[in-house]
Amino acid sequence: MSHSKRRKENQWKIRKQTQQPHGKIKSLAAYSDEYDAQQSSR
């Protein structure tokens, strides 16, 4: 295995391990409820 290939694989591994999770995706109904709550409080 060449040095550059090892480096590329290591960088790929690091990127995969340090991903930022996006959290749970809300449903459209949950978004609309939040939006309605914000609009009514203004």
Side-chain angles (χ1 to χ4, degrees):
M1 188 180 287
S2 68
H3 183 68
S4 61
K5 185 174 181 183
R6 204 176 307 141
R7 187 182 305 154
K8 283 181 187 177
E9 288 182 355
N10 191 32
Q11 287 174 348
W12 182 84
K13 240 185 270 182
I14 290 171
R15 279 199 312 272
K16 289 297 174 185
Q17 290 172 354
T18 58
Q19 286 184 16
Q20 299 297 320
H22 299 292
K24 191 172 183 179
I25 297 173
K26 296 180 182 179
S27 66
L28 187 58
Y31 274 123
S32 65
D33 291 342
E34 276 186 22
Y35 181 78
D36 292 341
Q38 286 178 352
Q39 294 304 315
S40 64
S41 67
R42 288 184 181 180

